Structure formats: structure tokens, C-alpha cells
Amino acid sequence: MKNVKLPYPKALWSAARGVRYAPAIALVLMTSSCEKSFIQESATSAATSSARLSSEPLLTTSYEIEEYSATQILSKIPEGSKAKAFMEIAAQPRLVRQKVEFSLFADGSFEIETAPLEPTRTDLLPEPFRKKKYESVLASKTVVQNNVAHFYDQNGKETQSSKLKGTRFNKLAEKILSSSQLNKDEFANEILGSPLVNEAYILGVARDKNAEIKTNGIVTEIRFDLESFAEESNESTENLSKYTVQHYDFKNKRMLGERLYDKQGDKLLYKSTVFYSPVDKGNQMEKVLSESFFEDPETGVKTKFIKQAFYTGMKVNLNI
């Protein structure tokens, strides 16, 4: 396997900088020249597909995501703090649900459309919050085209737009264009940000970075020192003074979860657990539970951000 420079995942950078809103993504789950399990290569010419030569999308997906989040204040807020009221409001539990539709085109462009839905998992909320009238905090409609996000109100009027940075979907389109076969279940996990894993590739990176590798039954634990990624990350020494522990089920191509620690005192900063549907029913990511721990450098207030994300109704349509 050739040496691949890995872009550092947003989850761990966010946690390393003290940001609480960190999704669960494995350090080494990036598409690479070593990845063979995601897309099955074929010698068939791309010209045989009409979608590759027209304006029709190569593939479309749709799914629903429902997210519960809450912040627990773990220490006393200083008396007279101007931020006390804001912190208490921000700590209130929230439950949001939305539908996501994604289309990928042959030129590497993509479109994403999201719309809020009324939450269904209200049992996750404390009793007083279950009785409150539902009011979505999300835009009535969001459409992403050509890396620009457009936000619309209930009347269909655009209220705001925002330029996005480049995404992983462009490289994904290139791989699809060079192939004639695609595993729908594996693609579904890729869209959700938790692709099914390649054992040889991940273990190769681990050995290249002198990571600690332990195996207990079907679970493989890998401990990465983030300083070993200094060249790829361009981050400060302070942000790299962390280590991550990740757990894999290579037999079923799954990343089971991860934890991020500060080297000083082995302080836990972030942890996540990923749940999947049975292998014979798609092996798709269904739920992610995560916790992020934060200490305000000015006030000393300690908080824990809790998040539960549920993914349902995944549909993948291919036109390649």
C-alpha cells in the first residue's frame, strides 16, 4: 500500500479544539487508493451508461435523520456571570428531524435538499418539553447546488445563502465514473459519513503510524497518537497533544466507536458508539451516540454535550 496522506476528520479536530458539536467519524475511514471494498472496479467503459453522458444524476439517495441533543452543566456557574442565562438556555434539550435528498452527477457536482419534519422520538425529551408545541429551528428548506447552500422560509423565499468548501463527493463521483458496479449498502454508509471499513488499509495506516493494536475476539482496538499526523494536519502542537482509541469489527466492516483523550491526565474529551442494521439487512448505520466534554478556559465551567442521531428510510437509486 502506498503512503497516503490522510486529511484529518472534522470530528477529532473539533473535539481537539474544545468544540462540543463533534460527529462520530473514524480517523482513517477516508477513501484512498488502497480502498477496494467500496467500489468494485470493472473494465466496462463508462460510455455505456446514458446517465454518464446526460444531465441525469448518476445516483440519488433519500433518508431521514432525527437528532436529540442536550448539554449538561457539570460544575457551578460563577455568581454574577453574564453568560449564565445564555448557558442555561443553550443547555436545554432539543429534538429535530429532517428528510435529506441527495443527487450526484457525472461532472462531480451534487445537489442536496433538506426539509424539516415533526419529531417522533419525543420520549427522549424530559416531560415538560414533550408538551411544548413543536417549532422547527431548521430552515423550511435547504438546497445545496454547486457548493452553495440556499436557505428558504415557509413561503419559499430565499432568506440566506452560504458558500461551502469542497467536499468528498467530488472524489466519490470520480470513482463511480470509473466503475460499472456499486454496492448500494456500502454506498449508503458512505453518504451518512461512516463508510464500511477496509481492514488491510486501516491496519496499514496503523502500522505506518506506529499505533498500538490490540485484538479481543472480533473487536480490534487501535490507539493513534495524533502527533504522528502532524505532517498531514498542519495543526499546532497543542491541538496534537491528544490520542484517539478506535474500535473496529473487521469481519463485518464496521467502525464501532472511538474515544479522544488529552495526553495531560488522560482526560476524556469525546466518545462515540455506532450501531448498524444486521449484515443481511444492509449493514447500514442506524444510530450514533456521542458525548463531548468541554471546560470553559475563562469561567472554568465544565459541560457535557450529549447527542443521539437516528438514521432511517435510506433509499439508493443507481443510474449508471
Side-chain angles (χ1 to χ4, degrees):
M1 180 183 73
K2 71 180 188 178
N3 188 20
V4 178
K5 291 186 177 181
L6 298 176
Y8 209 83
K10 294 180 181 178
L12 296 182
W13 282 136
S14 298
R17 293 186 178 120
V19 178
R20 292 168 290 173
Y21 301 85
I25 292 181
L27 177 64
V28 291
L29 292 187
M30 300 299 168
T31 303
S32 74
S33 58
C34 299
E35 181 62 76
K36 296 180 181 179
S37 65
F38 175 59
I39 293 180
Q40 302 169 16
E41 298 298 334
S42 172
T44 304
S45 170
T48 59
S49 172
S50 60
R52 300 169 194 263
L53 304 175
S54 70
S55 59
E56 297 179 17
L58 292 178
L59 53 89
T60 59
T61 67
S62 64
Y63 62 93
E64 293 180 7
I65 176 173
E66 188 162 7
E67 293 182 325
Y68 166 82
S69 61
T71 299
Q72 293 182 359
I73 301 174
L74 304 177
S75 59
K76 186 177 180 180
I77 302 174
E79 292 295 333
S81 173
K82 295 181 179 180
K84 181 177 181 179
F86 173 78
M87 291 179 65
E88 291 177 344
I89 293 174
Q92 293 182 357
R94 288 175 171 78
L95 185 65
V96 296
R97 175 172 165 246
Q98 61 180 327
K99 183 175 182 179
V100 181
E101 296 180 341
F102 173 84
S103 298
L104 184 62
F105 297 87
D107 62 358
S109 63
F110 63 92
E111 295 179 1
I112 301 175
E113 183 172 326
T114 68
L117 301 171
E118 186 166 352
T120 60
R121 303 174 188 271
T122 53
D123 57 307
L124 295 173
L125 294 169
E127 188 64 34
F129 290 88
R130 298 179 192 176
K131 300 177 181 179
K132 286 187 176 183
K133 182 180 178 180
Y134 170 70
E135 294 182 2
S136 176
V137 297
L138 304 173
S140 291
K141 182 180 179 181
T142 303
V143 179
V144 179
Q145 293 176 313
N146 299 322
N147 287 331
V148 177
H150 304 271
F151 304 93
Y152 299 86
D153 62 18
Q154 292 180 344
N155 298 318
K157 181 180 179 181
E158 184 173 349
T159 58
Q160 185 182 358
S161 64
S162 178
K163 180 71 175 178
L164 305 178
K165 295 182 179 180
T167 71
R168 57 190 169 86
F169 297 112
N170 299 89
K171 291 185 177 180
L172 179 58
E174 292 176 4
K175 282 187 170 287
I176 293 173
L177 284 170
S178 65
S179 307
S180 64
Q181 297 179 12
L182 184 66
N183 184 300
K184 287 186 178 183
D185 296 331
E186 293 185 356
F187 176 76
N189 282 301
E190 176 77 11
I191 285 293
L192 297 178
S194 183
L196 298 179
V197 302
N198 181 303
E199 178 179 5
Y201 173 60
I202 292 175
L203 291 178
V205 173
R207 296 184 182 107
D208 182 58
K209 298 299 182 181
N210 294 317
E212 297 180 17
I213 304 173
K214 298 180 181 178
T215 302
N216 183 8
I218 65 170
V219 178
T220 299
E221 178 183 287
I222 304 178
R223 170 173 166 163
F224 287 98
D225 185 333
L226 301 194
E227 290 186 5
S228 65
F229 291 90
E231 182 180 349
E232 294 94 327
S233 65
N234 295 317
E235 286 288 327
S236 66
T237 303
E238 180 181 358
N239 283 336
L240 290 172
S241 61
K242 315 284 190 301
Y243 66 89
T244 177
V245 179
Q246 300 172 351
H247 294 94
Y248 295 94
D249 171 3
F250 287 129
K251 179 181 179 181
N252 293 313
K253 301 182 179 180
R254 297 173 173 179
M255 196 280 286
L256 303 176
E258 62 183 331
R259 301 192 304 273
L260 179 70
Y261 296 88
D262 193 318
K263 286 184 179 179
Q264 289 190 337
D266 292 329
K267 183 168 63 176
L268 178 64
L269 302 175
Y270 171 79
K271 67 177 182 179
S272 68
T273 305
V274 186
F275 300 85
Y276 299 80
S277 63
V279 174
D280 60 356
K281 294 184 178 180
N283 203 22
Q284 294 180 7
M285 183 174 71
E286 290 188 328
K287 180 170 65 174
V288 179
L289 307 181
S290 64
E291 296 180 355
S292 302
F293 301 86
F294 178 74
E295 181 175 353
D296 190 299
E298 296 183 2
T299 64
V301 176
K302 298 179 180 179
T303 55
K304 177 172 71 172
F305 180 72
I306 302 169
K307 184 175 181 180
Q308 299 183 31
F310 303 86
Y311 302 89
T312 58
M314 170 62 76
K315 297 179 181 178
V316 180
N317 297 310
L318 303 177
N319 188 27
I320 58 177

